[in-house]
Amino acid sequence: KSYINNTFLKRKDAVPEDGMFFDIEKKVALRTIDRLWMDHIDAMMKLRSQVSLQAYGQKDPLIEYKKEAFQMLEQLVSDIDMNTLQTLMRMEFRVQMPREQIQTKTNEDEIVDIETGSREMLPKPVEVESHAENSAKVGRNDPCPCGSEKKYKKCHGR
């Protein structure tokens, strides 16, 4: 039990912001309670129909219902604690930089000046060595120089 407590405290300390772990823990607990509570309600409905048969065994159905319901409630609380703890122990916490600090990369070579009237993001012509001494520039939609009869962008331009 102390190992679990120590591990839990280490995970709690690994979360960078104060109060953030509490918010995460609260959300996980609420989701767990919601899921298990629905199962508990179904089990209580089944118990109601089963307890009515206890009268045939010379037992008071109300007392049997209360006894079984109390045991089921204790089991529910235990399951909520266990599932919440298991989920929190399995979660991975990652530090994510705010969007302002993320550097964006642009393709400056491919951006064309808007004043010239050209489209933005025009592809650069790709140089492909031919078997001749000089090299030819091949556009994306030109036939591939390899002789496959495909467009360059579908063949060697990938």
Side-chain angles (χ1 to χ4, degrees):
K1 194 171 184 177
S2 64
Y3 171 76
I4 293 173
N5 286 337
N6 290 337
T7 306
F8 184 77
L9 291 175
K10 285 179 186 176
R11 292 188 60 76
K12 187 175 180 179
D13 293 339
V15 176
E17 288 185 38
D18 293 338
M20 180 184 269
F21 188 82
F22 177 73
D23 291 339
I24 294 169
E25 184 178 17
K26 184 169 64 171
K27 288 177 183 176
V28 168
L30 286 173
R31 188 171 5 136
T32 303
I33 290 169
D34 187 42
R35 183 175 44 84
L36 293 177
W37 180 253
M38 298 302 277
D39 295 340
H40 179 73
I41 295 297
D42 291 341
M44 292 297 289
M45 296 296 280
K46 289 178 186 175
L47 177 63
R48 178 188 283 176
S49 64
Q50 291 172 353
V51 165
S52 63
L53 300 175
Q54 296 291 331
Y56 292 116
Q58 302 299 319
K59 294 181 182 178
D60 185 8
L62 182 60
I63 292 174
E64 292 300 315
Y65 179 80
K66 287 180 180 180
K67 191 182 341 177
E68 288 291 323
F70 184 72
Q71 289 174 354
M72 290 171 65
L73 182 64
E74 285 182 329
Q75 185 64 44
L76 173 67
V77 171
S78 175
D79 289 347
I80 289 171
D81 290 343
M82 184 60 79
N83 287 352
T84 302
L85 184 61
Q86 285 176 345
T87 303
L88 289 171
M89 297 297 270
R90 289 180 183 152
M91 289 178 82
E92 285 187 31
F93 301 106
R94 296 184 189 138
V95 177
Q96 187 174 8
M97 293 189 324
R99 288 198 173 264
E100 299 87 39
Q101 295 179 2
I102 299 174
Q103 295 179 356
T104 58
K105 295 182 180 180
T106 61
N107 298 334
E108 293 177 17
D109 297 340
E110 296 179 6
I111 297 175
V112 177
D113 190 5
I114 298 173
E115 293 176 11
T116 63
S118 302
R119 290 187 351 224
E120 287 188 11
M121 302 301 287
L122 288 175
K124 287 195 309 188
V126 179
E127 293 184 24
V128 176
E129 287 188 33
S130 63
H131 294 298
E133 294 175 10
N134 59 357
S135 59
K137 292 187 178 185
V138 180
R140 287 176 41 89
N141 291 320
D142 293 338
C144 189
C146 74
S148 67
E149 298 181 7
K150 293 182 181 180
K151 289 184 179 182
Y152 179 73
K153 66 182 180 184
K154 299 279 186 175
C155 190
H156 283 88
R158 285 188 170 179

